């Protein structure tokens, strides 16, 4: 795995313990009335890929048309920046810039496996991603796009608290320390 991309992946997968009560959320297929909603969030992530782990913090701004994900070292330095819009995806890291039509193509080319960023926005909010087959494991985790997914919400606010993704040889954990719904797209 390329070093800067290890940080990107780590930024996408948070680690840590929650200090507030949590509820396991059943990830349901969104009803026709559920729309992709803009939000801004941040927190910690942890990625374990083939026995090697990375941890980082992240800041993520999402709208239906755009994503901006910044991955930071534990002391706050930005090590990777991923931007998605209608033209494609750009990754800036280590003084280099890479482009692809979508996140999955870019991560497949750089990491060797596709990271489903487009569906993370649905999974983080407690929904199965629309347009993809979904089933449920015996323990209640969602199975979608080759991932086993567990979503946890804050028991008091019902806001997303933790998202855990697993597939063969890999696990990703995002722990959200802040969450803000947006009413209008942010520039």
């Amino acid at each position: 795995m390329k070093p800067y991309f290890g940080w990107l992946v780590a930024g996408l997968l948070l680690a840590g313990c929650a200090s507030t009560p949590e509820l396991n959320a059943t990830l349901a297929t969104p009803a026709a009335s559920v729309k992709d909603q803009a939000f801004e969030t941040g927190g910690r992530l942890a990625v374990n890929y083939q026995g090697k782990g990375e941890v980082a913090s992240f800041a993520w701004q999402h709208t239906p048309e755009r994503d901006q994900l910044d991955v930071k070292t534990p002391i706050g330095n930005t090590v990777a920046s991923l931007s998605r819009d209608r033209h494609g995806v750009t990754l800036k890291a280590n003084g280099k810039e890479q482009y692809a039509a979508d996140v999955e193509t870019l991560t497949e080319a750089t990491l060797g496996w596709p990271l489903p960023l487009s569906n993370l926005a649905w999974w983080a909010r407690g929904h199965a991603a629309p347009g993809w087959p979904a089933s449920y494991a015996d323990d209640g985790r969602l199975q979608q796009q080759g991932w086993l997914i567990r979503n946890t919400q804050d028991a008091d606010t019902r806001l997303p608290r933790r998202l855990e993704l697993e597939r063969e040889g890999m696990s990703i954990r995002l722990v959200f320390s802040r969450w803000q719904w947006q009413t209008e797209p942010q520039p």
Side-chain angles (χ1 to χ4, degrees):
M1 185 176 344
K2 300 190 182 196
Y4 65 87
F5 226 78
W7 283 108
L8 173 63
V9 172
L12 296 174
L13 308 167
L14 304 174
C17 298
S19 59
T20 59
E22 297 177 344
L23 296 172
N24 284 329
T26 300
L27 283 89
T29 302
S33 62
V34 175
K35 303 286 186 220
D36 191 359
Q37 188 175 358
F39 61 83
E40 185 174 329
T41 188
R44 296 178 314 268
L45 68 89
V47 176
N48 188 311
Y49 180 60
Q50 297 181 344
K52 295 182 181 178
E54 299 281 347
V55 295
S57 63
F58 74 96
W60 180 14
Q61 295 176 340
H62 169 81
T63 69
E65 301 83 25
R66 186 177 192 283
D67 280 292
Q68 176 65 45
L69 176 66
D70 294 321
V71 179
K72 302 171 185 240
T73 65
I75 60 171
N77 297 327
T78 300
V79 293
S81 182
L82 189 72
S83 300
R84 177 197 61 86
D85 62 21
R86 64 184 176 93
H87 301 292
V89 180
T90 303
L91 170 66
K92 295 179 184 176
N94 288 345
K96 297 179 183 176
E97 193 169 304
Q98 296 182 3
Y99 174 81
D102 57 66
V103 174
E104 289 81 1
T105 300
L106 182 61
T107 56
E108 179 79 43
T110 55
L111 295 176
W113 49 269
L115 180 69
L117 180 63
S118 57
N119 290 339
L120 282 178
W122 290 98
W123 298 338
R125 292 174 293 162
H127 299 289
W132 290 91
S135 61
Y136 295 89
D138 292 339
D139 64 2
R141 292 183 293 173
L142 171 69
Q143 295 175 311
Q144 192 171 37
Q145 206 178 356
W147 294 91
L148 279 172
I149 305 144
R150 181 184 315 274
N151 174 292
T152 308
Q153 297 174 342
D154 182 282
D156 296 327
T157 66
R158 302 289 179 153
L159 290 173
R161 180 67 182 143
R162 185 178 3 210
L163 182 64
E164 299 171 4
L165 306 160
E166 292 180 24
R167 70 184 310 162
E168 189 174 326
M170 172 162 220
S171 67
I172 299 171
R173 182 172 29 193
L174 296 125
V175 177
F176 305 102
S177 59
R178 60 184 174 80
W179 189 279
Q180 182 177 1
W181 297 108
Q182 302 292 324
T183 55
E184 298 179 19
Q186 300 297 307

